């Protein structure tokens, strides 16, 4: 990098963002340009390493946290320093909490020297990487304050697990927020089987609410496609409503298809969504799996019904058979009504997925967007239409100007004369 790019004060510091590799900056300090400042922000607790090398004269380095944000280095705000004599390299190693920091490189006396400044920050991983090493939250009591954890996932830390216990039935609510990139979340039972999931695209917050019985459960957090991101996990537990037990928008509810009149393979499993934005997690344990979205009142606020295939790559699919294409789809009776047309996915191992009412399909390597937004500028405000999944009908047709609509309205006051 070219010289003299660093700022000469805190408020003019050269800002940079950490990547997976060390950042290296080449510059110089002298009597006329005595101070070089750099600024960076950590999203979570990290192990910080700084090295100042290739010195031809005496230069030192400080690590600063401007706690009061006044743009000045006040007493106590230099949190680490290295001041070796002569041409000796300088180094700082320190555990840092989330926040914004500054680095000051400065010449000693009349010294004039070029330098290489190498900096890295490795997020500290507290959560376990397997079920056996999961971070043990312990027993969660009803109606206590939400528990919050900050950690990170990425290529070198592809799974974080948390373990918790509840001693009575109730509703567990999970949220995954403050994401810098796409990461997803699942709720597992004590055997590690998936109970519910949330797999929104990009860095959208993830949510799961599920009605559970007493027992041990796990939360699984993982990055999408190798993304690196810090996250904030919040977990709360409330007793169930004594009069109404409502299913979570992300919970997968099994449907009894014993009365189905269709000819089915040896193993078939069906899942139905709610009237909220649902995430359906496919596990390939059955020959044939059926997913049915019922509607989505969260559509206007960005919520989508998602088919989570992030455990698979798209090349494992032998064929996509979409219902909205000519002669497309598969006629199937899931046992809850008459036969209807489903979208279908056939895997190379012979297993199949039939689905309806899905907005997004999320593979490990790509995302397929099936959602269609009508051209009504106020559509996002009409939750009653979202509840009926009107927007999904636009996949099949947007209407025709050859259709004549007639509206007959005789009113309700039948005893009032027209000329009154």
């Amino acid at each position: 990098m070219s010289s003299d790019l660093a700022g000469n004060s805190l408020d003019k510091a050269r800002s940079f963002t950490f990547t997976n590799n060390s950042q290296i900056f080449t510059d110089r300090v002298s009597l006329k340009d005595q101070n070089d400042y750099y600024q960076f922000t950590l999203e979570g607790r990290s192990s910080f390493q700084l090295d100042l090398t290739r010195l031809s004269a005496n230069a030192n380095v400080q690590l600063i946290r401007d706690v009061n944000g006044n743009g000045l280095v006040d007493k106590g705000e230099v949190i680490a320093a290295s001041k070796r004599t002569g041409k000796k390299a300088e180094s700082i190693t320190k555990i840092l909490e989330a926040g914004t920091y500054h680095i000051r490189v400065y010449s000693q006396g009349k010294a004039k020297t070029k330098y290489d400044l190498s900096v890295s920050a490795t997020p500290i991983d507290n959560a376990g990487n397997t079920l056996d090493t999961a971070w043990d939250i312990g027993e969660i009591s009803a109606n206590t304050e939400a528990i919050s954890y900050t950690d990170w996932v990425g290529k070198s830390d592809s799974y974080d697990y948390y373990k918790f216990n509840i001693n009575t039935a109730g509703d567990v609510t999970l949220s995954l927020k403050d994401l810098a990139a796409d990461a997803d979340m699942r709720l597992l039972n004590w055997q590690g089987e998936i109970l519910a999931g949330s797999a929104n695209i990009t860095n959208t917050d993830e949510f799961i609410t599920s009605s559970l019985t007493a027992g041990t459960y796990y939360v699984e957090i993982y990055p999408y496609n190798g993304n690196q991101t810090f996250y904030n996990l919040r977990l709360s537990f409330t007793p169930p409503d004594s009069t109404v037990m409502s299913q979570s928008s992300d919970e997968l509810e099994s449907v009894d298809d014993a009365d189905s009149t269709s000819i089915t393979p040896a193993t078939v499993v069906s899942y139905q969504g709610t009237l909220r934005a649902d995430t359906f997690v496919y596990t390939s344990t059955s020959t044939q799996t059926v997913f049915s979205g019922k509607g989505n009142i969260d559509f206007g606020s960005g919520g989508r019904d998602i088919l989570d295939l992030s455990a698979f790559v798209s090349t494992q699919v032998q064929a996509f058979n979409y219902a909205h294409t000519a002669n497309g789809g598969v006629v199937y009776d899931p046992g809850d009504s008459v036969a209807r047309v489903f979208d279908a996915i056939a895997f190379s191992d012979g297993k199949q997925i039939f689905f309806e009412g899905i907005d997004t399909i999320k593979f490990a390597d790509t995302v397929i967007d099936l959602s269609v937004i009508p051209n009504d500028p106020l559509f996002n405000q009409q939750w009653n239409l979202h509840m009926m999944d009107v927007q999904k009908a636009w996949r099949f047709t947007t209407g025709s100007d050859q259709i004549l609509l007639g509206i007959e309205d005789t009113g309700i006051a039948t005893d009032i004369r027209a000329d009154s």
Side-chain angles (χ1 to χ4, degrees), residues 175-192:
S175 67
L176 194 66
K177 297 185 176 183
D178 302 331
L179 299 172
D182 193 350
D184 301 319
M185 174 173 58
R186 291 172 179 166
L187 175 65
L188 314 176
N189 66 10
W190 67 276
Q191 294 176 308

Side-chain angles (χ1 to χ4, degrees), residues 210-391:
S210 192
S211 297
L212 303 176
T213 58
T216 299
Y217 298 90
Y218 295 89
V219 181
E220 178 187 74
I221 298 169
Y222 57 99
Y224 177 69
N225 203 20
N227 289 322
Q228 177 171 305
T229 179
F230 284 91
Y231 62 81
N232 181 267
L233 170 68
R234 288 176 63 86
L235 184 152
S236 62
F237 175 60
T238 56
D241 191 311
S242 59
T243 58
V244 179
M245 283 289 289
S246 60
Q247 185 190 9
S248 153
S249 64
D250 288 308
E251 187 176 3
L252 305 183
E253 179 185 9
S254 179
V255 176
D256 183 3
D257 57 356
D259 295 330
S260 173
T261 58
S262 62
I263 299 175
T264 61
T267 55
V268 180
V269 61
S270 298
Y271 299 101
Q272 280 193 359
T274 67
L275 294 179
R276 307 303 298 261
D278 296 296
T279 295
F280 299 98
V281 183
Y282 175 66
T283 59
S284 75
T285 55
S286 302
T287 306
Q288 193 175 84
T289 308
V290 183
F291 296 107
S292 296
K294 288 184 176 179
N296 179 8
I297 64 173
D298 300 316
F299 189 86
S301 59
R304 296 293 183 264
D305 285 325
I306 295 174
L307 177 55
D308 182 6
L309 302 179
S310 58
F312 307 89
V313 293
S314 58
T315 53
Q316 291 177 262
V317 173
Q318 187 177 55
F320 293 94
N321 187 357
Y322 295 121
H324 67 282
T325 60
N327 300 316
V330 173
V331 178
Y332 180 75
D333 180 1
D336 59 357
S337 65
V338 297
R340 53 189 184 270
V341 179
F342 285 76
D343 296 295
I345 293 176
F347 285 94
S348 54
D349 62 2
K351 294 179 179 178
Q352 294 178 302
I353 298 175
F354 294 164
F355 61 94
E356 60 182 352
I358 297 297
D359 297 304
T360 303
I361 305 172
K362 190 171 186 179
F363 286 97
D365 59 332
T366 189
V367 173
I368 300 174
D369 185 9
L370 298 177
S371 64
V372 180
I373 300 178
N375 60 6
D376 180 351
L378 300 179
F379 183 76
N380 282 345
Q381 303 176 26
Q382 302 177 64
W383 63 266
N384 56 322
L385 299 182
H386 309 154
M387 181 177 65
M388 295 184 288
D389 261 352
V390 168
Q391 66 276 4

Side-chain angles (χ1 to χ4, degrees), residues 66-256:
D66 185 14
V67 178
N68 57 17
N70 66 354
L72 301 173
V73 182
D74 297 317
K75 184 178 180 179
E77 292 186 338
V78 176
I79 60 176
S82 180
K83 298 185 291 184
R84 303 182 71 190
T85 59
K87 305 175 185 178
K88 295 177 181 178
E90 309 290 351
S91 179
I92 294 175
T93 300
K94 193 172 181 63
I95 301 299
L96 299 180
E97 303 298 330
T100 298
Y101 298 85
H102 290 84
I103 298 167
R104 177 194 175 205
V105 179
Y106 62 99
S107 60
Q108 188 65 40
K110 298 181 180 180
K112 177 181 179 181
T113 179
K114 289 184 179 181
Y115 64 82
D116 283 344
L117 174 65
S118 174
V119 287
S120 64
T122 304
I124 295 175
D125 181 32
N126 291 315
N129 299 326
T130 65
L131 291 181
D132 291 338
T133 61
W135 179 272
D136 194 349
I137 298 173
E139 185 172 302
I140 306 298
S141 301
N143 295 323
T144 58
E145 290 188 7
I147 300 171
S148 180
Y149 293 93
T150 297
D151 213 300
W152 76 288
V153 286
K155 284 185 177 180
S156 60
D157 180 28
S158 53
Y159 287 96
D160 275 0
Y161 290 94
Y162 297 84
K163 175 183 177 181
F164 66 93
N165 303 303
I166 54 176
N167 60 10
T168 184
D171 297 330
V172 170
T173 299
L174 306 170
S175 67
L176 194 66
K177 297 185 176 183
D178 302 331
L179 299 172
D182 193 350
D184 301 319
M185 174 173 58
R186 291 172 179 166
L187 175 65
L188 314 176
N189 66 10
W190 67 276
Q191 294 176 308
E193 298 169 336
I194 300 171
L195 300 179
S198 181
N200 291 320
I201 59 175
T202 65
N203 61 338
T204 305
D205 296 343
E206 308 289 349
F207 295 95
I208 294 175
T209 301
S210 192
S211 297
L212 303 176
T213 58
T216 299
Y217 298 90
Y218 295 89
V219 181
E220 178 187 74
I221 298 169
Y222 57 99
Y224 177 69
N225 203 20
N227 289 322
Q228 177 171 305
T229 179
F230 284 91
Y231 62 81
N232 181 267
L233 170 68
R234 288 176 63 86
L235 184 152
S236 62
F237 175 60
T238 56
D241 191 311
S242 59
T243 58
V244 179
M245 283 289 289
S246 60
Q247 185 190 9
S248 153
S249 64
D250 288 308
E251 187 176 3
L252 305 183
E253 179 185 9
S254 179
V255 176
D256 183 3

